[in-house]
Amino acid sequence: MKRFARLLLLLGLVTAAPARSAEINLYSHRHYEVDKAVFAEFTAQTGIRVNVVQASADQLIERLRSEGAGSPADLLLTVDAGRLQRAKDAGLLQPTSSATLDARVPASLRDPDGHWHGITVRARVIVYAPDRVKPSELSTYADLADPKWRGRLLATSAGSVYNQSLVASLLGKTDRDTTLAWTRGVLANLARRPQGGDRDQARAIAAGLADVAIVNTYYIGLLRASEDPKDRAVGEKVAVFFPDQDGAGAHVNVSGIGVTRSSRNRAEAIRFIEYLTSPEVQTRFATANHEYPLSLDTKASPMLEAFGPFKADTASIRRLGELNAGAVEILGAVGWP
């Protein structure tokens, strides 16, 4: 009788134990208000809570490495294909299989083994002062090394992953000597020592400190849509030019996400990635953050449509990670600050 009572007590305890609520732990380098809104909407629709840890991509990758198999992270979200590839090569991500993702994410914008998928696209282009530069004077990335731009060009530092990936993409199309010569020529043309971010380069052009700069398009969108009238004025004083339209196309990179090797919520994590690639969320990223959707549809938002249609170089995205070390070496060899 006592044994039976104890059994009933145990059964009661098991029955009374609350069910584990569905959740995923996201390590994210992104820091945008639209992301918070999208995550909240995902939770409202699915009941799956999204716990976010924010830090730089390098910090998050190192954290995953140090935490090992015991890491609580289910997903890594960052803003460069090269970093995602580095996380894959370090064994920090696992392959995922989803017919939905295969249909929504073009093959050129995801890892061929399924370790990461792009969720948005960024184009790195030439921004110029239309009152001092005619569009007919602009053409290719290679042309930026021409001495005609001496003292007229701006760019961010060698530490910028966007610059590293641009150099990596050029390295993938040519060879080390050609890329080295281009990097040296661009450095010689800079109007000042690299400083600040992409928006600071646009501000410097608007102030007349230079005529052209290498910038991501979505930063121009953020300036033009800013609540700060000074930033809006800067955004309107510069124009966007897509290089290499007669060649490989403008250099693009991705924000991308992968399921961690340690994930204990794999099904929920994949469902989350599928949500981020859904048409409605793709439109949200385009309208709120001025990033290109995976379809590269410039009609996804008025801002993107204002930038105009363009040919994108998507062929080199997968190689950005493997070529990153070579790009960093080249930047260091020419003394790019």
Side-chain angles (χ1 to χ4, degrees):
M1 184 68 181
K2 290 182 179 180
R3 291 175 61 188
F4 181 68
R6 283 198 296 270
L7 178 60
L8 289 177
L9 178 61
L10 288 172
L11 288 173
L13 289 174
V14 170
T15 303
R20 182 177 68 86
S21 59
E23 62 180 14
I24 50 175
N25 298 314
L26 172 68
Y27 282 9
S28 176
H29 181 187
R30 286 172 60 97
H31 49 81
Y32 308 113
E33 290 301 315
V34 65
D35 289 18
K36 297 177 184 177
V38 166
F39 299 167
E41 290 164 7
F42 172 76
T43 299
Q45 291 186 26
T46 66
I48 302 171
R49 187 168 67 249
V50 183
N51 304 316
V52 182
V53 172
Q54 285 188 313
S56 73
D58 293 338
Q59 289 171 332
L60 294 172
I61 289 173
E62 184 53 40
R63 178 167 177 170
L64 282 171
R65 197 192 309 271
S66 63
E67 289 173 341
S71 175
D74 295 299
L75 294 151
L76 173 66
L77 172 60
T78 186
V79 294
D80 171 63
R83 285 164 164 161
L84 289 163
Q85 189 63 34
R86 178 148 51 92
K88 173 190 174 181
D89 292 342
L92 303 176
L93 304 177
Q94 62 172 286
T96 59
S97 177
S98 163
T100 297
L101 292 177
D102 288 348
R104 290 177 176 171
V105 185
S108 60
L109 302 179
R110 53 183 159 92
D111 175 56
D113 301 317
H115 286 76
W116 56 263
H117 292 78
I119 60 166
T120 66
V121 179
R122 284 106 177 271
R124 193 151 188 80
V125 302
I126 298 172
V127 169
Y128 66 99
D131 60 334
R132 301 188 296 277
V133 177
K134 297 178 181 179
S136 59
E137 297 178 72
L138 302 167
S139 57
T140 64
Y141 295 104
D143 181 64
L144 294 178
D146 190 294
K148 71 182 181 183
W149 299 113
R150 188 66 50 89
R152 303 174 66 193
L153 175 63
L154 293 173
T156 50
S157 72
S160 165
V161 71
Y162 301 127
N163 284 341
Q164 293 173 12
S165 289
L166 175 59
V167 174
S169 72
L170 296 173
L171 185 59
K173 295 183 187 70
T174 56
D175 53 45
R176 184 184 182 280
D177 289 343
T178 302
T179 306
L180 185 70
W182 178 84
T183 309
R184 185 176 288 115
V186 169
L187 181 62
N189 287 341
L190 295 184
R192 67 178 182 184
R193 182 182 177 87
Q195 56 186 270
D198 279 4
R199 276 177 280 201
D200 295 305
Q201 315 315 310
R203 292 182 182 114
I205 290 178
L209 298 179
D211 296 335
V212 294
I214 304 171
V215 173
N216 281 356
T217 53
Y218 82 100
Y219 284 114
I220 305 305
L222 291 172
L223 285 168
R224 291 182 180 178
S226 174
E227 296 181 358
D228 185 337
K230 292 181 179 179
D231 277 349
R232 290 201 301 273
V234 167
E236 295 302 328
K237 286 182 179 179
V238 299
V240 170
F241 182 86
F242 294 98
D244 287 70
Q245 294 303 282
D246 293 328
H251 170 65
V252 295
N253 205 333
V254 296
S255 276
I257 191 168
V259 179
T260 64
R261 177 68 65 179
S262 62
S263 176
R264 296 168 179 79
N265 303 288
R266 175 184 164 87
E268 292 85 353
I270 294 175
R271 188 175 180 184
F272 180 69
I273 301 175
E274 291 174 343
Y275 182 74
L276 296 182
T277 62
S278 63
E280 59 270 23
V281 174
Q282 289 289 293
T283 299
R284 288 288 299 281
F285 286 140
T287 55
N289 215 42
H290 318 298
E291 298 172 277
Y292 289 95
L294 296 169
S295 64
L296 292 176
D297 178 14
T298 57
K299 295 182 179 180
S301 82
M303 189 71 71
L304 299 184
E305 195 163 15
F307 292 155
F310 73 103
K311 177 182 178 181
D313 173 20
T314 59
S316 64
I317 289 178
R318 294 179 181 176
R319 299 197 64 202
L320 296 182
E322 67 182 81
L323 295 171
N324 179 264
V328 171
E329 185 273 327
I330 287 173
L331 288 163
V334 303
W336 194 302

